[in-house]
Amino acid sequence: ELDRVEYVTFDDATVLAAARLDPQGFLKGYSGGRLIIDEVQRAPELFRAIKIVVDRDRKPGRFLLTGSANLLLLPKIGDSLAGRIEIVRLHPLTESEKARRPGAFLGAFLGGTLAPRLSSDTGDAPGELISRILQGGYPPPLVREASRARQWHRQYIQTLVERDVRDVARVREADELTRLLEMAAIRTAQLLNLSSLGTELGMRRETIDQYLGILERLFLVRRLPAWHHNEGKRLIKTPKMHIADSGLAAALTGWHGEDWLHRRDRIGPFIESFVVQQIMAQATWTDPDLRFWHYRDKDQIEVDLVVTRGRKTWGVEVKASSTVTPADGRGLHRLADQCGRDFQHGIILYAGASTLPTSDARILAIPLSELWTR
């Protein structure tokens, strides 16, 4: 029985030095129970020692390794622990988790159980949706008022850039990484253009690509690949770039709640990134085999989020308005034509209150609030 649990963190410089100096001796000092190691990416030397211990005794659950970087992408890692490790990625909290609800929206969407439903409500007030986006999903800002929450987000970035970046890569100028992250927030939900980013920031294209990789390892940015019916063509089409947390994106742009209320034309990309964040997080407990893409064809007809399981395909379009027009489903219709029988369902997420049918029985207009109330 592994009935004893011990916890160590490599934020402690003394503990970190001991683990790096003698990894095997360090682990022997904690033998006999479960060991939780936080910020494990700071001691890549420890992975080979863990492999030796695990190979001697394959009893599962002996080590819980946590960190603020993707361990599998660390350049200095001594061993990947392939076949000996299970990876769980912890997303920022979803709105359903913050409301202590089951988060059943994605399962209902995939299962085709969503149905038209008229409501006498007018939907969430614009300010409420904006507040959710500004707050984001990191736990500490949830208990702070707005100005202190923004301050926490900025300090979080500063800490990551000044401390954790050194664990995942060599960066010539840390402030260049911060400038790129700020630009990524401004351009969230847009097609990734490395050359344009390089021109605006005065950096080489190759450097931009390298730095984006670092931001991905730190779970700050995600690249959403392009979907194409021909799988080989997906490799050469342009991905979209999303900030992984909407609250972080809002803090990086420096916008306040009242700014968004007066610039509704700017809020669309932030709502899109917010929805991508919510659905990808719900997938971790709904169906981990799902894959995610965006769709854009030569006519610039788009679908914000494409969800696939094998060849089965679903589409999600995101709208900031409280009404839906026939033109809003144009991208979903094009995606359905491309997929043929593989197309399952499509939804238009909008800021209204009723679930509405469209001219295509496979496509519904769904309130954004269903993401956290269902």
Side-chain angles (χ1 to χ4, degrees):
E1 285 292 327
L2 299 173
D3 54 0
R4 183 164 55 91
V5 179
E6 297 186 75
Y7 170 87
V8 297
T9 175
F10 290 157
D11 278 331
D12 186 321
T14 302
V15 175
L16 175 60
R20 284 177 167 174
L21 184 63
D22 183 8
Q24 294 189 37
F26 177 83
L27 292 179
K28 286 180 181 178
Y30 294 97
S31 61
R34 288 186 174 92
L35 177 60
I36 301 172
I37 305 176
D38 188 29
E39 301 296 355
V40 70
Q41 78 276 358
R42 292 184 184 148
E45 303 89 347
L46 197 62
F47 282 75
R48 193 176 301 278
I50 290 175
K51 176 182 178 181
I52 294 172
V53 172
V54 170
D55 285 346
R56 288 174 181 166
D57 183 356
R58 285 300 186 110
K59 188 176 294 184
R62 298 174 63 194
F63 297 99
L64 176 61
L65 312 177
T66 67
S68 53
N70 189 334
L71 304 180
L72 300 182
L73 298 178
L74 296 181
K76 301 177 184 177
I77 189 169
D79 197 286
S80 67
L81 297 177
R84 302 165 181 84
I85 189 171
E86 181 175 346
I87 305 295
V88 178
R89 177 173 177 176
L90 298 180
H91 293 259
L93 294 174
T94 64
E95 294 301 309
S96 59
E97 288 174 310
K98 287 156 62 174
R100 301 186 183 277
R101 291 178 177 269
F105 172 79
L106 181 58
F109 172 42
L110 298 177
T113 60
L114 299 173
R117 177 183 59 82
L118 293 178
S119 173
S120 58
D121 295 335
T122 58
D124 286 351
E128 181 175 346
L129 176 59
I130 291 170
S131 293
R132 293 180 184 276
I133 293 171
L134 293 176
Q135 191 179 60
Y138 290 119
L142 305 185
V143 295
R144 289 168 164 82
E145 56 93 21
S147 63
R148 293 189 62 238
R150 286 193 297 273
Q151 184 181 23
W152 182 91
H153 282 111
R154 289 191 291 266
Q155 290 175 347
Y156 178 68
I157 291 301
Q158 182 180 358
T159 301
L160 280 179
V161 170
E162 292 180 353
R163 186 190 63 182
D164 291 356
V165 164
R166 293 194 301 268
D167 300 326
V168 300
R170 292 180 180 177
V171 175
R172 184 181 55 198
E173 296 289 344
D175 65 328
E176 290 185 341
L177 200 66
T178 303
R179 288 168 54 217
L180 175 59
L181 185 58
E182 291 172 349
M183 185 61 70
I186 294 171
R187 293 191 176 190
T188 192
Q190 294 184 23
L191 293 176
L192 175 59
N193 188 326
L194 297 176
S195 298
S196 175
L197 283 171
T199 299
E200 290 200 39
L201 295 172
M203 297 162 59
R204 296 172 61 244
R205 186 181 189 278
E206 293 77 13
T207 303
I208 294 287
D209 194 30
Q210 176 197 351
Y211 284 4
L212 278 175
I214 295 171
L215 295 175
E216 286 181 291
R217 293 176 208 167
L218 294 172
F219 304 120
L220 298 173
V221 168
R222 61 168 57 98
R223 297 187 222 201
L224 190 65
W227 181 92
H228 194 282
H229 194 261
N230 181 330
E231 295 182 0
K233 291 185 178 180
R234 295 177 192 172
L235 302 177
I236 60 174
K237 294 180 76 71
T238 305
K240 271 190 175 182
M241 178 173 58
H242 287 279
I243 293 290
D245 179 76
S246 62
L248 192 63
L252 286 165
T253 58
W255 283 56
H256 295 233
E258 57 270 21
D259 297 324
W260 294 116
L261 288 172
H262 295 99
R263 292 294 306 274
R264 297 298 299 276
D265 59 311
R266 294 288 303 275
I267 197 174
F270 283 82
I271 295 180
E272 182 180 333
S273 288
F274 171 78
V275 169
V276 169
Q277 167 191 337
Q278 302 295 311
I279 291 180
M280 292 184 72
Q282 283 198 18
T284 60
W285 65 76
T286 303
D287 187 344
D289 290 332
L290 296 175
R291 300 182 69 185
F292 299 93
W293 323 79
H294 78 93
Y295 172 79
R296 180 184 173 97
D297 64 18
K298 63 182 185 303
D299 300 318
Q300 298 186 15
I301 295 177
E302 299 180 274
V303 176
D304 296 325
L305 185 65
V306 178
V307 184
T308 62
R309 185 201 297 128
R311 295 194 64 84
K312 291 184 176 180
T313 306
W314 296 261
V316 179
E317 186 65 23
V318 183
K319 299 296 178 183
S321 65
S322 58
T323 58
V324 179
T325 68
D328 293 332
R330 185 171 61 163
L332 292 170
H333 292 133
R334 181 67 62 88
L335 177 66
D337 291 341
Q338 290 283 325
C339 292
R341 294 181 180 179
D342 295 330
F343 184 77
Q344 306 300 303
H345 308 286
I347 54 174
I348 304 166
L349 286 169
Y350 77 116
S354 296
T355 297
L356 303 173
T358 70
S359 59
D360 188 328
R362 298 170 298 176
I363 299 173
L364 292 174
I366 306 286
L368 279 159
S369 58
E370 287 278 312
L371 285 167
W372 54 87
T373 57
R374 178 168 288 268

